Amino acid sequence: LSENTLESVSKSLASLYSQYPFHDMNNCIWRNIQSACIPPAMVMKGLIPLYIAAVAGVHWIAGDRIQLGGCLIEWSVKQFYESLTKGRCRKGDSDVEGNEFVNKEASNTILIICYLYNYGVMHCTLMYDLIKHLIKNFSEIDVESLLLILSHCGQQLRS
């Protein structure tokens, strides 16, 4: 998947929906996004927009009948809240040498949610609800998530 192959990948994925059950395809796409875009050690700012652009393309090509957009929103928000809960419970994990690092699952998942919003798959009211939740708790992981939201879709939210 690259910027040059984005359209052809989206069309190919959309065509697979006629051969396989929608639920299986949606699960496969979500598992692929999780394995590629939600590593615990780093924020995937370059890869997430491409993946979400491809699946947003599939969402718009195939339409609402496949329910890909709804499934991705549900699964990503659920993953985000699970990651937030884990991040709030512990300050940081230690690697093999004893150095402390912060789990970046919540950051990667909020980026997925941001780009689902940016590409028109979800409505702004869910983004506002997420922002309200993050402001209410306001821990370190909440502030990091808020900064990612503002930097990646703040301009669009404002307009």
Side-chain angles (χ1 to χ4, degrees), residues 4 25 27 33 35 37 44 60-61 68 73 81 84 89 96 99 103 107 109-110 128 134 136 142 146:
N4 297 334
M25 284 294 299
N27 279 334
I33 289 171
S35 66
C37 298
M44 304 297 285
W60 291 113
I61 291 168
L68 176 62
I73 292 167
Y81 277 109
L84 269 180
C89 290
V96 176
N99 297 327
N103 193 328
S107 299
T109 310
I110 198 65
Y128 290 132
L134 293 170
K136 189 186 305 181
D142 295 306
L146 280 168

Side-chain angles (χ1 to χ4, degrees), residues 1-2 6 9-10 13 29-34 36-38 44-61 68-69 71-73 75-76 107-122:
L1 182 61
S2 69
L6 192 59
V9 168
S10 293
L13 282 173
I29 288 173
W30 176 244
R31 284 193 316 267
N32 192 338
I33 289 171
Q34 279 183 305
C37 298
I38 310 179
M44 304 297 285
K45 289 181 182 178
L47 192 60
I48 289 174
L50 284 174
Y51 267 76
I52 302 307
V55 296
V58 173
H59 170 75
W60 291 113
I61 291 168
L68 176 62
C71 288
L72 290 176
I73 292 167
W75 292 330
S76 59
S107 299
N108 287 319
T109 310
I110 198 65
L111 282 175
I112 289 171
I113 294 169
C114 286
Y115 283 102
L116 284 171
Y117 168 71
N118 285 343
Y119 296 137
V121 177
M122 66 181 239

Side-chain angles (χ1 to χ4, degrees), residues 85-142:
T85 303
K86 283 193 286 186
R88 289 176 184 148
C89 290
R90 59 179 181 229
K91 295 291 183 196
D93 294 328
S94 296
D95 62 6
V96 176
E97 289 116 23
N99 297 327
E100 196 172 287
F101 69 91
V102 178
N103 193 328
K104 297 296 182 183
E105 284 180 21
S107 299
N108 287 319
T109 310
I110 198 65
L111 282 175
I112 289 171
I113 294 169
C114 286
Y115 283 102
L116 284 171
Y117 168 71
N118 285 343
Y119 296 137
V121 177
M122 66 181 239
H123 196 262
C124 66
T125 54
L126 180 57
M127 291 302 296
Y128 290 132
D129 288 342
L130 288 170
I131 290 169
K132 287 176 192 174
H133 177 78
L134 293 170
I135 290 172
K136 189 186 305 181
N137 291 294
F138 219 64
S139 66
E140 180 181 351
I141 195 165
D142 295 306

